[in-house]
Amino acid sequence: MSIEVLPSREALAGLDWNKGDGLLPVVVQDADSLAVLMLGYASAESLELTLVTGHMTFYSRSKQRLWTKGESSGNVLAVVAVRIDCDNDTLLVSARPAGPTCHTGSESCFERAPGNFLGRLDALVQQRDQQRPAGSYTTRLFEDGIRRIAQKVGEEGVETALAGVVQDDAALLGESADLLFHLIVLLRARGLSLDDAVQVLATRHAR
């Protein structure tokens, strides 16, 4: 399993393990929704295992051993990116959970953790494309083909523009939501994601 973003060897060598008696706090964030899922702790050995397997492995302070998230439940955390903070003593891990992260069955260990709904919607649209469940409007769009999807984006774009000129705020917001949804479907139909478009914006902003 390949991790998309890895710290350099120099950055890993510079981690400050002494500050936490050989452990670093690890904040785990959903790679798609950006919601904070949990906080755990990593030892040098557990971090090395995480980087090799691509599944988040912690050091359990209560069990005094390495612990791979989901080793009993199957709700593993597939690591997408590992980042180090400015003090070299905390890790931020972006991951895609295979199920509920919290032992209570909740998505996050933090109540009402903030997240990016568009990211969750994008992931759901991708799932619809892969599974094509019967009766789903999104499934019907994918099966109608990319020309029909593109047509819907055009229609929603015009309706959004008109709402911005001659309708009230509620109508504009409703049409904007329809436009965003169909744009996500169009991107997925081309094998792209909403994040790919966001990265273009980020690159432009950095210039």
Side-chain angles (χ1 to χ4, degrees):
M1 184 172 294
S2 176
I3 300 175
E4 297 174 11
V5 178
L6 285 171
S8 66
R9 290 184 179 179
E10 293 77 10
L12 289 170
L15 286 171
D16 188 354
W17 296 101
N18 295 325
K19 191 178 295 184
D21 294 327
L23 298 178
L24 297 181
V26 182
V27 178
V28 182
Q29 183 181 41
D30 189 298
D32 299 309
S33 73
L34 305 185
V36 176
L37 299 177
M38 65 173 293
L39 171 70
Y41 291 86
S43 64
E45 186 180 1
S46 74
L47 177 59
E48 181 179 0
L49 188 58
T50 296
L51 299 180
V52 170
T53 65
H55 287 157
M56 188 63 224
T57 298
F58 301 95
Y59 182 84
S60 172
R61 295 177 299 171
S62 59
K63 300 175 182 177
Q64 295 288 296
R65 66 171 178 85
L66 300 186
W67 166 62
T68 299
K69 179 70 180 74
E71 62 186 17
S72 58
S73 67
N75 299 333
V76 298
L77 292 168
V79 176
V80 175
V82 177
R83 295 179 173 88
I84 302 170
D85 81 329
C86 57
D87 292 323
N88 298 318
D89 61 4
T90 303
L91 300 176
L92 174 63
V93 171
S94 298
R96 291 194 171 94
T101 298
C102 185
H103 71 281
T104 64
S106 296
E107 175 184 323
S108 169
C109 293
F110 298 92
E111 185 178 2
R112 292 187 294 276
N116 174 6
F117 176 75
L118 281 177
R120 292 200 298 272
L121 180 61
D122 187 34
L124 178 61
V125 169
Q126 181 184 32
Q127 185 182 67
R128 290 286 190 270
D129 185 25
Q130 294 170 343
Q131 299 178 356
R132 303 290 177 94
S136 164
Y137 173 67
T138 310
T139 295
R140 189 164 78 248
L141 282 173
F142 281 121
E143 291 179 346
D144 285 344
I146 195 164
R147 289 182 179 273
R148 175 55 181 158
I149 299 170
Q151 181 184 3
K152 286 295 295 181
V153 172
E155 292 172 358
E156 299 299 345
V158 171
E159 291 174 7
T160 300
L162 289 173
V165 175
V166 300
Q167 294 182 283
D168 60 17
D169 290 349
L172 175 57
L173 290 172
E175 296 297 347
S176 298
D178 290 343
L179 176 58
L180 285 168
F181 169 74
H182 287 91
L183 177 59
I184 290 172
V185 176
L186 178 62
L187 288 166
R188 283 296 176 187
R190 287 287 301 270
L192 301 168
S193 71
L194 184 62
D195 188 60
D196 292 329
V198 171
Q199 289 304 314
V200 173
L201 288 172
T203 300
R204 291 175 181 175
H205 177 73
R207 290 174 183 169

